[in-house]
Amino acid sequence: MSAVDLSTRLAGVALRNPVLLASGTCGYGAELAPFVDLEALGGIVAKSLTLEPRAGNHPPRISEAPAGMLNAISLENVGVEAFVREKLPALAPGVTVIASVFETEIERYAEVCKRLDGVGRVAALELNASCPHVKSGGIEFGQDPKVLASLVRACRAATTRPMFVKLSPNVTSIAEMARVCEGEGADAVALVNAVQGMLVDVHRRRPVLRNGLGGFSGPAIFPIALRMVYQASRAVRIPICGIGGIASGDDAVAMLLCGASAVQVGTVSYTNPRAGLEVRDGIEAYCRVQGVHAVRELIGALRAWDPPELA
């Protein structure tokens, strides 16, 4: 069998394969570059950027949890100007970079988008409208359809770059939120961010994280994320990037079958920095065994039982 064509497109951005590293799990890329060939991936989504540098929460702000991880780092980052001036030039030219955008007010989100609009190394923007553990911004933008619409509209007007919106699983209808993004001009949606969670140290009788609540991610949320990718894919025509607990090639294939055009690998990278490459290899191995010539053939190719149809 000839080589499998792993290339795909996400909102007009050409990717050499469908595997991206998720924001917050790969730093700005240079941190992983000594250990991982980032050019062999579809790309990376860098840490979320705010207008000014942000320190994040005080520790403890990360903890292991059953089948996952709880964190309340709160989007520590160097700020958009330092990212453009220092972090981007440190990456090899062949690394596809998607910049994640976060702020506490809609106008500030739009300003970050504006400042990244003319930066040639940035292939696309991902609006983080769903961080579950910041005290202002984040999830509050992603849970109210009207607020989400205002955010996407303002950012759409501020940039001509391909723009994704990263959605929260902490909503009643993921399909409705995806439709809002599509209606306001988003080029794709990325889903899902972490589920809001909490751990308690019963011996000290206090929350494990100083913040109290955190974002729960990892393999335990994979079925939730898969369900939401499936539901969103039936609600919108724009591409979907699947996120949430992906740890293997088969996990990624499941996301593609449910309608994702690409996937992001996140929490597993903390224990295995090469996980993204292994997921890519797993997708390729699946295609070889199944006689799939191009990974694009898998997108939305889930077979329904007859009857009944999936809800």
Side-chain angles (χ1 to χ4, degrees):
M1 181 180 178
S2 59
V4 177
D5 180 1
L6 291 176
S7 66
T8 187
R9 297 185 72 84
L10 187 64
V13 178
L15 303 176
R16 58 178 62 87
N17 61 67
V19 181
L20 306 165
L21 298 185
S23 178
T25 65
C26 59
Y28 303 101
E31 297 90 334
L32 280 183
F35 314 103
V36 179
D37 180 6
L38 298 177
E39 294 180 81
L41 294 166
I44 66 167
V45 186
K47 285 172 67 70
S48 292
L49 300 167
T50 47
L51 277 176
E52 289 88 26
R54 182 181 171 98
N57 288 332
H58 293 291
R61 58 185 189 176
I62 189 168
S63 177
E64 289 189 34
M69 184 183 81
L70 191 72
N71 91 88
I73 294 173
S74 192
L75 302 168
E76 176 183 353
N77 76 96
V78 299
V80 63
E81 299 300 336
F83 171 73
V84 173
R85 185 177 62 250
E86 301 168 8
K87 302 300 182 181
L88 275 178
L91 287 171
V95 179
T96 299
V97 181
I98 296 169
S100 175
V101 175
F102 174 80
E103 260 300 346
T104 55
E105 300 172 6
I106 289 175
E107 294 75 14
R108 293 174 65 87
Y109 264 101
E111 181 60 28
V112 178
C113 292
K114 185 178 179 181
R115 295 193 189 189
L116 290 167
D117 192 51
V119 180
R121 281 300 309 275
V122 174
L125 307 182
E126 179 182 273
L127 299 186
N128 181 353
S130 48
C131 181
H133 50 75
V134 290
K135 290 183 172 56
S136 58
I139 198 170
E140 67 188 52
F141 289 109
Q143 289 185 314
D144 184 323
K146 292 182 179 178
V147 176
L148 181 63
S150 297
L151 173 66
V152 177
R153 191 182 312 130
C155 292
R156 178 73 286 168
T159 181
T160 58
R161 290 301 169 102
M163 188 178 76
F164 315 157
V165 184
K166 188 172 183 178
L167 296 175
S168 171
N170 305 291
V171 296
T172 303
S173 172
I174 195 69
E176 179 184 9
M177 308 310 277
R179 281 193 290 264
V180 166
C181 296
E182 182 178 48
E184 296 297 339
D187 298 297
V189 286
L191 55 124
V192 293
N193 208 324
V195 178
Q196 214 169 24
M198 182 177 184
L199 289 171
V200 170
D201 182 337
V202 297
H203 301 289
R204 302 173 71 185
R205 300 188 182 187
R206 61 175 48 161
V208 169
L209 303 184
R210 184 178 294 270
N211 191 62
L213 304 183
F216 179 52
S217 60
I221 74 165
F222 177 71
I224 299 170
L226 194 61
R227 183 263 294 181
M228 290 191 164
V229 166
Y230 176 76
Q231 291 177 320
S233 75
R234 293 166 70 90
V236 297
R237 294 179 180 274
I238 56 176
I240 293 169
C241 189
I243 318 169
I246 295 170
S248 70
D250 282 0
D251 291 343
V253 168
M255 284 284 190
L256 298 173
L257 292 173
C258 283
S261 296
V263 300
Q264 293 183 23
V265 174
T267 301
V268 68
S269 296
Y270 283 95
T271 54
N272 176 14
R274 294 181 56 80
L277 295 175
E278 293 175 7
V279 169
R280 180 208 60 184
D281 293 345
I283 296 171
E284 184 172 14
Y286 172 92
C287 290
R288 289 186 185 280
V289 170
Q290 295 286 328
V292 175
H293 297 281
V295 74
R296 298 182 298 281
E297 298 171 24
L298 299 175
I299 299 171
L302 188 69
R303 297 170 182 160
W305 290 92
D306 182 27
E309 289 284 344
L310 290 171

